[in-house]
Amino acid sequence: MNTFHNTLVTIDNFIWGPPLLMLLVGTGIYFTFRLRIFQLRHLPTALKMVFSKEENQSTGKGDVSSFAALCTALSATIGTGNIVGVATAIKMGGPGALFWMWLAAVFGMATKYAECLLAVKYRKTDSKGQMVGGPMYYIEYGMGNKWLAKLFALFALGVACFGIGTFPQINAIVDSAQLTMNAPAWLTGGVLTVLVAIVTLGGIQSIAKVAEKVVPTMAVVYVVSCLTVLIMQIEALPAAIQLVITSAFTGSAATGGFVGASIMLAIQSGVARGVFSNESGLGSAPIAAAAAKTDSCVKQGLVSMTGTFFDTVIICTMTGLTLIVTGVWQGDAAGALMTTQAFALGLGSDQIGPYLVSIGLMFFAFTTILGWNYYGERCVTYLFGNKGVLPYKVIFIALVASGAYMKLDTIWVIADIVNGLMAIPNLIGLIALRHIIIEETHLFFNKQSNNEEEAILNRA
């Protein structure tokens, strides 16, 4: 069994190694320069759309508002990676990993824009009148490659059932509840199963309703908590930011319990954890984007790309700087324990710190389960039609119920492999349909420019 597990770990390290990371970031670099760094030029417009009441009351085709679709996607991406993943990246690659996480996020915004634009352009209506879309649809109907589309759907379904969508999140919730409230696993598992069943059986409207309330609330609470630590450690903040930038290009020397990191390790750790956290290029967010009520694929692409901005540029940055200003990254702790120590030191309380981290983990993990349940459902609809949805939901709920008792490292490694494999068909689709993405973008912004000129002339 150990040999089998070690073999899987080797495969996992290969899949998530430099080739895939280069392909993921390279796709973002291509769209960034082909569209003239539009994700930075149009970020203010995108953020305005996210919070625009008019935009979110759009009468365009779709099942939920643009904001609700974004929150559904964020529910799946804002999770343990924002707390545990950042700590792991800095522990492995030093403070410089945070810089490379930022860079990956900037290019990832372009990738997220491209895939969510295609999701709306090629979405379909199912037999129940609901909008369905995502990589499987733009690969089949845009590229004309059905087997590659099915391959993506199978990989994504595997991740939903056995990976990010279930076991790691369930275990994070169970462990956090046990740490802070001394709650037994059977009780936490039972309550979690009931909550997941109530929300997911209601479909996308139910999931989106919960997501658009819980995700922004918990994100704000977590960011405010991090800001409190940073304000209390304000004298250390300039040095921390300087350390992030300098060690990104010089590596990090060994200090305390930290063993040191090369530039290459900082790059690999930052990029890998950044991509894993915001899922840009993996093909998950487009499935949620396809359900948005919108009259423009470009508008939804802009709204969706802010997900990477919120996830990595804001939330991951808050976690990273909190770890650095408190100095815990140099100690022996890792993962969630490192973040817990940072809050305890930063807030000067051994009680409040663990509670904030644990509650954040529980809520982020819970919404990740909901988001990935929906992704899995859409993949089942694509592969088997609506008749497969109810059996899928029953199986998913059963997996949630059993997850509280599982410590299956091998299954998690398999899920990680499948998660990486998801990206390959999606990136092939993005590259094949690059001219569509560029054409739609130019048409939209040319029309906007013409409308603005016309409005100026009318006012004159």
Side-chain angles (χ1 to χ4, degrees), residues 6 21 48 72 89 122 132 180 188 194 259 263 292 300 314 325 332-334 355 369 395 401 430 438 445 454:
N6 291 338
L21 293 176
K48 186 178 177 182
T72 302
Y122 290 101
V132 290
T180 54
T188 306
V194 171
V259 294
I263 299 173
Q300 189 54 43
I314 294 182
V325 298
D332 297 320
Y355 269 99
I369 293 170
I395 292 169
L430 293 181
I438 294 163
F445 286 109
E454 188 177 337

Side-chain angles (χ1 to χ4, degrees), residues 404-421:
Y405 310 99
M406 289 190 177
K407 300 287 183 185
L408 301 178
D409 292 340
T410 300
I411 284 184
W412 294 355
V413 176
I414 292 171
D416 203 26
I417 291 169
V418 178
N419 195 21
L421 290 174

Side-chain angles (χ1 to χ4, degrees), residues 438-454:
I438 294 163
E439 183 182 339
E440 288 288 344
T441 304
H442 287 160
L443 283 172
F444 177 81
F445 286 109
N446 286 340
K447 186 179 178 183
Q448 292 290 103
S449 298
N450 291 337
N451 288 343
E452 286 173 11
E453 287 175 12
E454 188 177 337

Side-chain angles (χ1 to χ4, degrees), residues 339-407:
T339 311
T340 300
Q341 285 185 1
F343 274 86
L345 281 170
L347 297 172
S349 171
D350 290 334
Q351 298 298 318
I352 298 174
Y355 269 99
L356 283 173
V357 175
S358 294
I359 290 170
L361 269 173
M362 283 192 279
F363 276 96
F364 287 161
F366 175 66
T367 55
T368 299
I369 293 170
L370 299 183
W372 271 96
N373 170 272
Y374 176 69
Y375 293 160
E377 180 186 325
R378 295 296 86 188
C379 290
V380 166
T381 301
Y382 176 78
L383 292 168
F384 309 110
N386 281 317
K387 64 180 181 295
V389 171
L390 185 58
Y392 160 75
K393 287 184 176 180
V394 172
I395 292 169
F396 189 91
I397 292 165
L399 288 169
V400 171
S402 63
Y405 310 99
M406 289 190 177
K407 300 287 183 185

Side-chain angles (χ1 to χ4, degrees), residues 47-256:
L47 291 171
K48 186 178 177 182
M49 287 179 178
V50 170
F51 300 108
S52 166
K53 190 174 180 181
E54 180 185 342
E55 200 65 44
N56 285 297
Q57 289 179 342
S58 171
T59 55
K61 292 180 180 179
D63 301 318
V64 297
S65 70
S66 288
F67 181 71
L70 173 64
C71 286
T72 302
L74 280 172
S75 72
T77 56
I78 297 178
T80 54
N82 297 82
I83 296 174
V84 180
V86 177
T88 303
I90 291 175
K91 187 68 179 176
M92 290 176 61
L98 187 60
F99 175 87
W100 297 108
M101 203 176 282
W102 293 337
L103 200 63
V106 170
F107 294 130
M109 286 169 67
T111 310
K112 186 72 69 76
Y113 165 80
E115 57 189 356
C116 291
L117 179 154
L118 291 176
V120 174
K121 182 170 178 62
Y122 290 101
R123 65 184 178 177
K124 305 292 178 185
T125 305
D126 68 9
S127 60
K128 290 185 177 179
Q130 292 184 324
M131 281 294 176
V132 290
M136 52 278 198
Y137 290 90
Y138 55 73
I139 290 171
E140 178 179 350
Y141 297 102
M143 274 185 69
N145 195 321
K146 198 167 184 176
W147 72 266
L148 194 62
K150 286 188 175 182
L151 202 60
F152 171 86
L154 283 170
F155 289 148
L157 182 58
V159 175
C161 289
F162 303 108
I164 297 171
T166 50
F167 301 136
Q169 310 302 330
I170 296 160
N171 272 274
I173 293 171
V174 169
D175 291 345
S176 295
Q178 204 160 25
L179 177 69
T180 54
M181 295 174 279
N182 203 25
W186 65 267
L187 179 61
T188 306
V191 172
L192 180 61
T193 303
V194 171
L195 290 174
V196 169
I198 290 170
V199 178
T200 58
L201 289 174
I204 179 60
Q205 285 84 3
S206 178
I207 292 171
K209 271 184 186 177
V210 173
E212 66 181 340
K213 288 181 175 63
V214 175
V215 171
T217 303
M218 282 311 303
V220 168
V221 169
Y222 184 75
V223 168
V224 168
S225 301
C226 290
L227 282 172
T228 304
V229 173
L230 295 177
I231 290 168
M232 292 178 73
Q233 307 289 325
I234 192 70
E235 70 283 350
L237 188 57
I241 295 171
Q242 185 180 7
L243 184 61
V244 168
I245 295 168
T246 55
S247 56
F249 300 98
T250 59
S252 306
T255 53

